[in-house]
Amino acid sequence: MSTYNEVKKILEEKRLDESLAAAYTKANFGAQYERFAAVLSDFAEQYGENAEREIALFSAPGRTEVGGNHTDHNHGKVLAASVDLDAVAAASKNDENIVRVKSRGYNIDIVDLSDLEVSEKDAGKSRALVRGVVARFKELGYNIGGFDATTASKVLSGSGLSSSAAFEVLVGTILNHLYNDGKISPVEIAKIAQYAENVHFKKPCGLLDQMACSVGGFVTIDFADPSSPVIESVSLDFEKTGHSLCIVDTKGNHSDLTDEYGFVRSEMEAVAAFFGKKVLREVTKQQVVENAGEIAGKTGERAVLRALHFFNDNERVEKEVAALKAGDFEAFKALVIESGFSSYMYNQNVYSNKEPKSQPLSLALALSEELLKGKGAWRVHGGGFAGTIQAFVPNELLGSYTRVMKSVFGDDCCYVLNIRPIGGARFI
């Protein structure tokens, strides 16, 4: 491991290009050097500048959902990808049996390793995520120890890019390299991160977010058995597609939408319950089609529509994966558009029925179709009802596309991302 002064010199002399190339486009190298230098400076300010203290630099990416909209909670299939908006950290061992994590803009999180029990008062706080990751390492028999860290994140909170999962994976990656020689697999790190969020943070999330952040690149996950999901990496050199990935924040109001999200899941499960099952993965599409009238009489027509969306989007994930494996990006884009229309027409999570006149997502999707039809792809991103859309934009149209989106939703609405081929990583 390098000393503080050595790391500082490496950054000043820009000698990390080879490592950075695994995670970022070359055009962004300058910005990444600045970010790592800043987080290293934060470390010195927080814990004191010790020229000989050994220190390392880490990163964990955010993620974007690409296929399988609202399918994971009914044990379906998803396709996700890590992106080049990430959380970075400078970290160093200490011999105090204490973990300290100071994230820029937030209070420091301090966890005593002699007390790793679940803390109810910390539920929903970042300290719970830190404690949960360390606790799970210990439960699984991995090495743990104290460390000091400073972090900074470009994973936008509330954007659907999974800022909490990136943070969890970052903490797990630090522990993995500082105390376990980096031998713990990315899949295991993801499961540890999910445990921290479920048990300590008290959020009943699935494994999609953590897996995409930890493994990196395109990853498809089959949740038929949620306790043991089937995970597969999908190889794709995104730069060679000639497209950019855009996330457009329409600035819609997320407040008072909890029940809207909940209805998607509960209505799908109500259709499953018609057949005596808990989730739609235990039912076939043919069964639903053949009994559609009777099901609608008991659950309402919307539940049947959402069930059909589930089955069809499950199938689309398989087709999207096949298209990417075959290098057929045009077929992949067509499937992305299909998924988006299915979410709009059948899953109906593009706008809230509570305020039907407010439809920023609908407008963003309509404008995307006008600008990208026959050339790009577009769909609702994540939970829906408000928030963000996703678009795959040909590079030659990127300027005009972002210009229109910014004119409607504001200068800070459009984030141009790249698919990141690696997940949680140590750079020095």
Side-chain angles (χ1 to χ4, degrees):
M1 190 178 291
S2 302
T3 66
Y4 175 88
N5 270 2
E6 289 169 341
V7 172
K8 186 176 180 181
K9 189 173 183 180
I10 289 170
L11 294 174
E12 288 173 347
E13 296 177 355
K14 295 182 170 50
R15 289 190 277 121
L16 268 186
D17 282 15
E18 187 174 341
S19 296
L20 295 180
Y24 310 103
T25 60
K26 193 167 184 178
N28 289 329
F29 281 7
Q32 305 314 324
Y33 278 114
E34 291 177 6
R35 293 178 67 219
F36 279 114
V39 83
L40 183 67
S41 177
D42 289 349
F43 187 94
E45 182 178 341
Q46 183 68 39
Y47 305 111
E49 185 171 349
N50 182 342
E52 299 305 313
R53 184 171 183 177
E54 293 185 334
I55 198 164
L57 302 179
F58 301 89
S59 163
R63 72 98 183 104
T64 181
E65 172 206 286
V66 178
N69 189 232
H70 278 282
T71 54
D72 58 332
H73 50 61
N74 264 251
H75 299 189
K77 300 177 182 181
V78 298
L79 176 63
S82 60
V83 297
D84 60 353
L85 286 185
D86 63 340
V88 298
S92 175
K93 288 183 179 180
N94 67 46
D95 57 5
E96 302 170 63
N97 209 39
I98 290 175
V99 170
R100 304 180 186 90
V101 180
K102 175 65 173 72
S103 298
R104 190 175 301 160
Y106 297 90
N107 293 329
I108 191 169
D109 294 316
I110 301 176
V111 174
D112 188 332
L113 302 191
S114 65
D115 180 15
L116 296 177
E117 296 297 316
V118 176
S119 170
E120 298 298 329
K121 67 180 178 64
D122 282 347
K125 299 178 181 178
S126 56
R127 183 166 57 249
L129 297 176
V130 177
R131 182 183 289 110
V133 169
V134 180
R136 191 59 172 167
F137 264 73
K138 184 177 181 180
E139 289 173 10
L140 294 173
Y142 298 124
N143 298 325
I144 64 170
F147 66 84
D148 298 322
T150 49
T151 81
S153 181
K154 282 196 169 288
V155 186
L156 310 161
S157 180
S159 65
L161 298 175
S162 297
S163 57
S164 61
F167 179 75
E168 298 151 14
V169 169
L170 184 65
V171 173
T173 302
I174 291 170
L175 268 178
N176 187 20
H177 286 274
L178 292 187
Y179 286 100
N180 295 275
D181 299 320
K183 294 179 179 178
I184 304 173
S185 74
V187 170
E188 189 67 20
I189 294 292
K191 292 179 179 179
I192 290 169
Q194 182 200 23
Y195 170 90
E197 191 152 344
N198 289 174
V199 177
H200 286 256
F201 193 77
K202 301 296 184 183
K203 180 181 177 182
C205 67
L207 190 57
L208 165 63
D209 297 350
Q210 291 81 3
M211 196 62 69
C213 293
S214 186
V215 174
F218 278 94
V219 59
T220 182
I221 311 173
D222 186 341
F223 290 104
D225 178 1
S227 65
S228 184
V230 178
I231 302 140
E232 180 186 2
S233 292
V234 183
S235 179
L236 175 73
D237 188 341
F238 186 69
E239 281 193 70
K240 291 183 178 179
T241 68
H243 288 70
S244 293
L245 170 61
C246 292
I247 299 296
V248 180
D249 182 0
T250 66
K251 313 296 176 66
N253 188 355
H254 283 86
S255 64
D256 198 28
L257 289 176
T258 301
D259 56 345
E260 294 273 26
Y261 297 122
F263 285 147
V264 176
R265 177 173 183 168
S266 65
E267 288 178 12
M268 288 183 181
E269 291 175 350
V271 174
F274 176 88
F275 298 98
K277 305 297 183 181
K278 290 185 177 180
V279 293
L280 282 176
R281 191 61 183 274
E282 299 172 339
V283 180
T284 68
K285 181 167 65 172
Q286 184 178 356
Q287 285 177 298
V288 173
V289 170
E290 291 177 350
N291 295 275
E294 191 175 351
I295 299 170
K298 291 190 175 182
T299 66
E301 290 83 359
R302 189 175 67 175
V304 179
L305 293 171
R306 284 175 163 166
L308 292 174
H309 164 80
F310 170 88
F311 293 118
N312 291 330
D313 235 29
N314 243 18
E315 294 172 5
R316 266 187 289 269
V317 168
E318 294 179 357
K319 293 175 182 177
E320 287 173 342
V321 171
L324 292 176
K325 286 182 176 179
D328 191 345
F329 200 67
E330 292 304 309
F332 167 77
K333 287 191 296 182
L335 291 162
V336 169
I337 294 170
E338 278 186 22
S339 176
F341 278 120
S342 181
S343 292
Y344 205 152
M345 291 187 292
Y346 304 129
N347 201 43
Q348 299 182 29
N349 63 317
V350 171
Y351 64 89
S352 171
N353 287 319
K354 295 178 181 178
E355 295 186 61
K357 290 185 178 181
S358 177
Q359 297 197 32
L361 287 181
S362 306
L363 179 56
L365 291 169
L367 292 172
S368 295
E369 182 174 10
E370 291 297 323
L371 296 165
L372 303 177
K373 190 171 184 178
K375 298 176 182 178
W378 56 95
R379 71 194 285 272
V380 66
H381 185 240
F385 297 108
T388 59
I389 70 161
Q390 174 190 80
F392 291 90
V393 183
N395 290 336
E396 65 271 18
L397 296 178
L398 185 60
S400 58
Y401 181 80
T402 57
R403 186 166 56 252
V404 171
M405 291 297 156
K406 289 178 180 180
S407 72
V408 178
F409 302 109
D411 287 341
D412 60 345
C413 76
C414 203
Y415 303 96
V416 181
L417 311 177
N418 290 286
I419 303 299
R420 169 167 154 157
I422 63 169
R426 174 181 171 181
F427 290 127
I428 294 181

